[in-house]
Amino acid sequence: DAKTTQPPSMDCAEGRAANLPCNHSTISGNEYVYWYRQIHSQGPQYIIHGLKNNETNEMASLIITEDRKSSTLILPHATLRDTAVYYCIAVNNNAGNMLTFGGGTRLMVKP
Amino acid sequence: GAVVSQHPSRVICKSGTSVKIECRSLDFQATTMFWYRQFPKKSLMLMATSNEGSKATYEQGVEKDKFLINHASLTLSTLTVTSAHPEDSSFYICSAPGQLEQYFGPGTRLTVT
C-alpha cells in the first residue's frame, strides 16, 4: 500500500471547519483513500473513503485532487467531540485487506 | 453499522501469567480478523491476521508462540498473550472487515505488573 504523509497535529476552533491534509503521491490506480479516526483509548472509527471523486457523508467530506496525489478531509463544523487522531490510509481495493497506519494527525478542537 | 466487541476491556496480570483477549463480530461473520497493538502516543501496529479454520499469519518480529491466535468460529477470534512481561503492556485492538470498511473493537488495555 502507498505511504501517506500527514501533519502530526492541528488545532481547530469549535464550530469552524477542520481541513486535514494528506499526501499520497505514490498511490496506485486501484488504491482507495480511506480516513479513520481514533478518539483517545478507543478503537478506530471509519469516516469516509474515495477513489477519484469527491465524497460526502454525514460525518465529513473528502476532496481528492485530480492527480490523486493528495486529499483533504473536511469536518464542516468541528465540535469538541471531534478531538481525535485522524488517519489517512491508502488501501488496495479489497476491503478485506489489513490497514497500515501511519502517524496520523492529532486534531485538537478548542472552545 | 456492524459491531465488533472485545473482552475484557482492561486487564491487569502478573509477570509470567497468560491472558486471553476475545474479539467478536456481533452481527456479521468474519473469516478474517486482524490484531493490532498500540503503545502510548504511538500508532497502531498490525500484529497478525487471524484466519478462521487455518493458522494465523504473523507480521515480522511478532512471536507466534508468545501471541497465540485462535479463530474458533466465524464470529470469534482470541489472542492469548503467554508468559506476559511488563513490556507486553499495551492497548490491543482487533478489527474485522466489512464490505467497504474495517470495523474495530473498542480495544483491551493490558497492564503486566
Side-chain angles (χ1 to χ4, degrees):
Chain A
D1 294 338
K3 180 179 165 58
T4 62
T5 305
Q6 299 176 252
S9 64
M10 291 182 66
D11 289 346
C12 176
E14 188 180 18
R16 306 297 288 264
N19 297 291
L20 292 91
C22 179
N23 285 323
H24 32 79
S25 58
T26 61
I27 196 168
S28 63
N30 64 349
E31 286 182 310
Y32 289 72
V33 179
Y34 272 77
W35 285 83
Y36 287 81
R37 73 178 182 185
Q38 185 180 25
I39 294 169
H40 183 62
S41 292
Q42 296 182 24
Q45 174 193 24
Y46 165 82
I47 302 174
I48 198 167
H49 75 284
L51 184 64
K52 290 188 288 190
N53 299 324
N54 298 336
E55 301 288 345
T56 296
N57 63 19
E58 65 278 4
M59 291 184 70
S61 293
L62 174 60
I63 308 297
I64 303 174
T65 57
E66 195 167 335
D67 62 7
R68 302 214 321 125
K69 293 185 176 182
S70 65
S71 61
T72 301
L73 179 75
I74 301 172
L75 308 179
H77 306 286
T79 70
L80 299 179
R81 286 176 295 181
D82 291 322
T83 292
V85 179
Y86 287 77
Y87 295 100
C88 166
I89 307 172
V91 185
N92 187 277
N93 62 2
N94 180 351
N97 284 349
M98 75 338 182
L99 301 176
T100 302
F101 287 82
T105 295
R106 188 173 296 275
L107 175 69
M108 179 74 72
V109 181
K110 298 185 174 179
Chain B
V3 176
V4 172
S5 71
Q6 283 184 240
H7 177 79
S9 57
R10 72 177 56 232
V11 56
I12 301 172
C13 72
K14 295 190 180 208
S15 283
T17 61
S18 295
V19 174
K20 180 188 284 190
I21 302 170
E22 293 184 348
C23 176
R24 292 182 187 272
S25 56
L26 294 186
D27 49 0
F28 67 106
Q29 294 181 334
T31 55
T32 300
M33 290 184 177
F34 301 101
W35 286 96
Y36 295 83
R37 179 168 52 181
Q38 185 176 33
F39 293 107
K41 297 191 188 280
K42 298 294 185 182
S43 189
L44 285 79
M45 295 295 294
L46 180 69
M47 298 176 66
T49 301
S50 172
N51 303 300
E52 192 269 336
S54 64
K55 292 182 179 180
T57 305
Y58 290 82
E59 295 300 299
Q60 193 172 9
V62 178
E63 300 174 56
K64 61 179 172 63
D65 295 329
K66 179 169 179 64
F67 298 99
L68 301 179
I69 290 173
N70 182 17
H71 201 129
S73 73
L74 288 173
T75 58
L76 173 64
S77 174
T78 60
L79 169 69
T80 301
V81 182
T82 63
S83 188
H85 292 287
E87 55 265 33
D88 297 325
S89 298
S90 190
F91 193 50
Y92 291 86
I93 305 169
C94 69
S95 74
Q99 281 199 322
L100 295 177
E101 66 199 75
Q102 290 277 340
Y103 298 103
F104 287 84
T108 297
R109 180 140 337 260
L110 170 63
T111 303
V112 184
T113 61

